């Protein structure tokens, strides 16, 4: 109220720019974003008196500050493209704006460690991407026991040497419309026609990842009791126990 009164009483004051910014900041702190944006727009478009003797005017020194506030408001309200636009303008002045800009514009790719599906189910993998335009994918039919012999676990399994192994299929997924600064999910069909193990490798935007697709009607549960291990095998669909299953514990 005091700031508004000051602005009405002293429209030519050399303090008007500071008081107007303080008013904008107050509305922002209260969460009154509509009012804050209205005052911010004024600060960004008008000039303020700064020389009392010669009545000189110039743009407000607080323009970068309100630009940063506009970015924070758009960020809070989920308008990420608008937030990025504001943060980019003041990234050289405020560390927080620079950090937020880096967060939003970073790229990323995530795949699950493994996927299991039944022999009568279509195989697919859920990809999570951020700000990527295209992914190149390859699918290899592999021997799971050999994979474990080479890597011991599924971490970074895409690093294994696949020289000489012909992929079952290779193709590209175009994500040109996905640069919206959010993580997005996409389920991609995998050409796994018969039971077995398939290695899916995805690359794009300087990122690469992999997942193992296991197509089988078997499912197992492991019970650990002190230093003992019991393995239960059953059919994925019927949930009935399965006899004669070969089990190797490593």
């Amino acid at each position: 109220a005091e700031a508004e009164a000051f602005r009405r009483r002293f429209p030519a004051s050399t303090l008007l720019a500071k008081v107007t910014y303080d008013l904008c900041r107050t509305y922002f702190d209260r969460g009154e974003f509509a009012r804050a944006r209205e005052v911010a727009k004024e600060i960004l478009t008008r000039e303020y008196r700064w020389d009392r003797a010669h009545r000189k005017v110039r743009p407000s020194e607080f323009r970068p500050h309100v630009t940063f506030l506009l970015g924070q408001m758009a960020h809070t309200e989920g308008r990420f493209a608008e937030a990025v636009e504001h943060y980019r303008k003041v990234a050289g002045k405020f560390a927080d704006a620079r950090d937020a800009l880096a967060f939003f514009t970073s790229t990323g790719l995530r795949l699950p460690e493994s996927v299991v599906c039944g022999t009568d189910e279509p195989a697919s993998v859920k990809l999570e991407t951020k700000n990527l335009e295209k992914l190149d994918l390859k699918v290899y039919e592999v021997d799971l026991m050999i994979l474990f012999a080479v890597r011991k676990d599924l971490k970074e399994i895409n690093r294994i040497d696949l020289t000489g192994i012909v992929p079952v299929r290779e193709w590209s997924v175009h994500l040109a419309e996905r640069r919206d600064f959010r993580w997005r999910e996409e389920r991609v069909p995998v050409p796994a026609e018969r039971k077995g193990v398939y290695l899916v490798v995805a690359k794009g935007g300087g990122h690469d990842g992999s997942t193992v697709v296991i197509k089988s009607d078997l499912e197992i549960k492991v019970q650990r009791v002190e230093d003992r291990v019991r393995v239960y095998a059953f059919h994925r669909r019927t949930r009935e126990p399965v006899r004669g299953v070969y089990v190797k514990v490593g």
Side-chain angles (χ1 to χ4, degrees):
E2 292 180 2
E4 288 284 16
F6 182 93
R7 280 155 49 82
R8 289 192 298 270
R9 292 179 60 190
F10 306 104
S13 172
T14 56
L15 297 176
L16 187 62
K18 175 66 168 61
V19 171
T20 303
Y21 169 69
D22 288 343
L23 179 63
C24 180
R25 180 76 205 200
T26 297
Y27 285 143
F28 172 81
D29 291 339
R30 291 177 181 172
E32 299 178 35
F33 289 170
R35 289 187 173 183
R37 274 192 288 267
E38 184 178 343
V39 178
K41 182 178 179 180
E42 175 189 324
I43 294 172
L44 292 173
T45 55
R46 69 165 288 182
E47 295 183 326
Y48 293 86
R49 184 177 175 185
W50 63 277
D51 184 291
R52 183 176 302 175
H54 299 92
R55 298 179 179 274
K56 293 181 179 179
V57 296
R58 65 182 180 188
S60 171
E61 63 186 291
F62 298 101
R63 284 189 177 185
H65 299 75
V66 298
T67 299
F68 183 35
L69 291 182
L70 287 170
Q72 290 179 296
M73 286 185 278
H75 184 165
T76 301
E77 294 174 334
R79 300 193 312 278
F80 294 162
E82 181 182 335
V84 166
E85 181 181 349
H86 292 305
Y87 286 147
R88 186 171 279 124
K89 291 177 182 178
V90 295
K93 293 182 177 293
F94 305 108
D96 283 350
R98 186 164 57 252
D99 293 344
L101 180 63
F103 171 79
F104 278 120
T105 58
S106 64
T107 58
L109 169 64
R110 296 194 294 237
L111 288 84
E113 188 174 78
S114 62
V115 176
V116 180
C117 65
T119 57
D120 58 347
E121 301 175 70
S124 64
V125 173
K126 184 180 74 174
L127 302 175
E128 294 181 82
T129 64
K130 182 183 178 188
N131 297 331
L132 296 181
E133 296 181 359
K134 188 183 81 164
L135 283 178
D136 296 318
L137 296 104
K138 293 183 180 182
V139 178
Y140 301 86
E141 191 168 6
V142 296
D143 187 307
L144 186 60
M145 299 306 296
I146 294 178
L147 282 182
F148 276 115
V150 174
R151 298 297 304 182
K152 306 303 180 186
D153 58 36
L154 296 179
K155 294 179 180 178
E156 297 187 339
I157 202 166
N158 57 301
R159 306 294 185 187
I160 65 173
D161 185 6
L162 296 169
T163 304
I165 303 178
V166 179
V168 175
R169 183 187 171 195
E170 50 185 308
W171 75 103
S172 297
V173 176
H174 293 274
L175 308 167
E177 303 301 321
R178 299 299 178 85
R179 193 169 181 81
D180 59 359
F181 315 107
R182 302 172 186 269
W183 280 98
R184 294 293 185 181
E185 295 182 359
E186 176 149 349
R187 188 161 290 278
V188 176
V190 175
E193 302 300 330
R194 57 184 180 181
K195 67 178 180 180
V197 180
Y198 299 81
L199 174 62
V200 180
V201 178
K203 296 184 178 182
H207 300 274
D208 59 87
S210 63
T211 186
V212 171
V213 176
I214 303 172
K215 191 157 191 177
S216 172
D217 289 326
L218 286 178
E219 188 168 333
I220 63 170
K221 295 294 184 182
V222 178
Q223 177 187 20
R224 293 180 176 87
V225 182
E226 298 178 350
D227 59 349
R228 303 185 304 278
V229 173
R230 292 177 62 87
V231 178
Y232 300 89
F234 51 93
H235 195 281
R236 286 177 52 81
R237 182 168 50 81
T238 66
R239 315 310 291 176
E240 293 295 326
V242 177
R243 299 178 60 185
V245 175
Y246 172 75
V247 177
K248 183 176 181 179
V249 179

